[in-house]
Amino acid sequence: MDKTAEKQALIDKIVEAIQDVKGEDIMIFDLTKIENSVAETFIICSGNSNTQVSALAGSVEKKVRNDLQDRPWHVEGTENSMWVLVDYVSVVVHIFQKETREYYDIEELWGDAQITRIESEV
């Protein structure tokens, strides 16, 4: 599998894992055309409580590990689960509690990115 297909498989698995735990407002930011960006792709979603944020992060790690045999390079924010970051180097997942996401307004920060919204499964 080439790098692009590998990255797409990772993105798809992460989105699936977020949907499994009812993560909300899922957005994929393609940062490949942005100079000096820290990753190629950001996936951002929201949870309603620190319990859900924690469960979302766990779901992402478990599904990616089990299905793609990949582990994150780095995870942070699990102490308080207001904002958990799961870093797969080319793809970085940001899982926020709603208020924290509104406060940091990451969408505005990376407004130059190509953004894909994932429709919620109802």
Side-chain angles (χ1 to χ4, degrees), residues 3-17:
K3 281 277 178 235
T4 310
E6 267 178 43
K7 190 173 85 177
Q8 192 55 54
L10 179 60
I11 291 167
D12 294 344
K13 272 302 157 209
I14 291 168
V15 169
E16 227 176 89

Side-chain angles (χ1 to χ4, degrees), residues 10 14 31 37-43 57 60-61 64 70-78 83-95:
L10 179 60
I14 291 168
L31 307 172
S37 80
V38 290
E40 293 174 11
T41 306
F42 276 176
I43 299 175
V60 166
E61 284 189 66
V64 171
D70 197 356
R71 291 175 186 277
W73 173 70
H74 182 71
V75 178
E76 64 186 69
T78 50
W83 173 2
V84 176
L85 184 142
V86 185
D87 186 347
Y88 288 96
V89 184
S90 68
V91 178
V92 178
V93 188
H94 296 270
I95 306 166

Side-chain angles (χ1 to χ4, degrees), residues 43-92:
I43 299 175
I44 298 171
C45 71
S46 301
N48 292 308
S49 65
N50 51 359
T51 308
Q52 188 185 16
V53 166
S54 187
L56 285 160
S59 176
V60 166
E61 284 189 66
K62 187 175 177 195
K63 190 176 268 292
V64 171
R65 184 178 62 238
N66 291 344
D67 297 0
L68 302 175
Q69 287 70 54
D70 197 356
R71 291 175 186 277
W73 173 70
H74 182 71
V75 178
E76 64 186 69
T78 50
E79 319 69 53
N80 62 11
S81 296
M82 299 294 285
W83 173 2
V84 176
L85 184 142
V86 185
D87 186 347
Y88 288 96
V89 184
S90 68
V91 178
V92 178

